[in-house]
Amino acid sequence: MSDKGKILIVEDEHRIARFLQMELQHEGFEAATEDNGRRAYDRIMQEDYDLILLDVMLPEMDGLTICQRVRELSDVPIIMLTARDEIDDKVKGLNIGADDYMTKPFATPELLARINVALRKRTRTEVREQSEGEVLRVKNLAMYTLRHEVMVGEESVELTKKEYDLLEMLLRNKRNVLTRDQILSDVWGYDYMGDTNVVDVYIRYLRQKLDDRFDEKYIYTMRGVGYVIKD
Ligand code: CA
């Protein structure tokens, strides 16, 4: 096993596939080849690759279809390999979730550089997710539950304890409408004796700090029912 990473080269031109395999092995990667589209898809789904080099024109299943289907279930980095006259395919490749593309014929140093970028990007994402604990999201808003922080894009949002609890409840029930009573008992407790309007007041505070400030709609009012947060 190589510790630099395991790469699958999906390419039906054996000369190119073999060349890539040797170059990657020389760089310390574990490199396997596959020349059939359908088999490639099965292997990507069954085995644990760190990166896929994916040709577009392949027998049985083309590279764009493979990329699209893999993306439904996996975020393994994919670099599309396209022929010079497949410009449209490049664009499609990125739209369906490829991380990068290279036009054939390509220079090996450039391909290796792009492979390293794609692998580093993935490692950073994994490390970040491990250290942040659970992250609740809606649109461009993220709540990092471990460190009690709310971010909209790159900006941090200051919330009071009750505002935070209310937002967390909405996020945990994303797309489900919550009644005022549900919110009241969950966030303020069953023994809360104050005004039930407190829910509406705090929804207003949240909207000022989120919807108004970032000019985006997060919290929706369902008239006569309650509130819901959704994408
Ligand atoms: Ca091909």
Side-chain angles (χ1 to χ4, degrees):
M1 279 290 284
S2 153
D3 54 3
K4 277 196 80 174
K6 192 173 162 189
I7 297 178
L8 182 65
I9 303 155
V10 186
E11 170 63 81
D12 59 337
E13 285 172 71
H14 293 122
R15 193 180 47 83
I16 297 178
R18 181 70 193 131
F19 169 77
L20 285 173
Q21 186 178 32
M22 287 193 312
E23 292 284 334
L24 291 174
Q25 284 171 345
H26 179 73
E27 290 295 317
F29 293 103
E30 191 182 331
T33 61
E34 175 56 65
D35 61 6
N36 175 283
R38 189 165 301 280
R39 279 202 303 272
Y41 172 73
D42 290 340
R43 286 176 69 173
I44 295 167
M45 288 291 98
Q46 282 157 23
E47 292 175 46
D48 196 16
Y49 294 104
D50 295 298
L51 186 137
I52 314 294
L53 293 180
L54 187 55
D55 184 26
V56 174
M57 298 298 287
L58 293 162
E60 289 202 57
M61 191 188 287
D62 68 80
L64 298 175
T65 306
I66 294 174
C67 182
Q68 203 164 19
R69 293 199 185 171
V70 167
R71 271 295 168 268
E72 288 167 11
L73 299 162
S74 160
D75 60 358
V76 61
I78 297 176
I79 299 178
M80 306 291 300
L81 307 175
T82 70
R84 201 179 278 283
D85 54 358
E86 295 167 337
I87 300 294
D88 273 357
D89 288 337
K90 283 185 193 174
V91 179
K92 280 189 210 149
L94 292 174
N95 283 343
I96 61 180
D99 295 83
D100 204 350
Y101 62 85
M102 292 284 300
T103 306
K104 291 188 276 189
F106 42 75
T108 311
E110 193 188 349
L111 178 64
L112 290 172
R114 290 184 185 216
I115 287 174
N116 284 323
V117 167
L119 288 173
R120 271 204 306 274
K121 204 162 69 185
R122 183 180 205 208
T123 310
R124 272 204 308 275
T125 309
E126 277 172 3
V127 167
R128 206 168 56 219
E129 281 173 6
Q130 276 164 17
S131 63
E132 280 170 353
E134 192 181 5
V135 184
L136 307 173
R137 296 180 194 278
V138 65
K139 292 177 178 161
N140 59 342
L141 181 152
M143 172 179 276
Y144 300 92
T145 54
L146 206 60
R147 56 174 205 260
H148 258 249
E149 189 176 15
V150 175
M151 302 280 292
V152 172
E154 299 291 310
E155 284 190 63
S156 181
V157 181
E158 291 296 321
L159 297 179
T160 65
K161 171 84 170 69
K162 280 280 180 270
E163 289 165 354
Y164 182 95
D165 291 347
L166 173 57
L167 180 61
E168 182 175 2
M169 188 191 182
L170 287 165
L171 286 168
R172 287 196 185 282
N173 293 280
K174 197 161 106 177
R175 288 186 298 276
N176 294 323
V177 180
L178 298 174
T179 65
R180 286 176 182 74
D181 284 347
Q182 282 174 319
I183 295 172
L184 202 60
S185 61
D186 199 272
V187 177
W188 277 268
Y190 284 101
D191 52 357
Y192 177 77
M193 299 296 284
D195 193 339
T196 55
N197 281 338
V198 71
V199 174
D200 305 287
V201 171
Y202 272 80
I203 289 283
R204 198 155 66 234
Y205 291 158
L206 273 185
R207 280 181 169 151
Q208 281 164 6
K209 291 185 176 182
L210 299 172
D211 301 45
D212 296 351
R213 177 173 161 200
F214 296 100
D215 196 23
E216 175 73 86
K217 194 159 178 63
Y218 298 100
I219 303 168
Y220 294 81
T221 305
M222 306 302 282
R223 282 174 67 92
V225 188
Y227 298 102
V228 60
I229 209 162
K230 57 188 180 184
D231 286 308

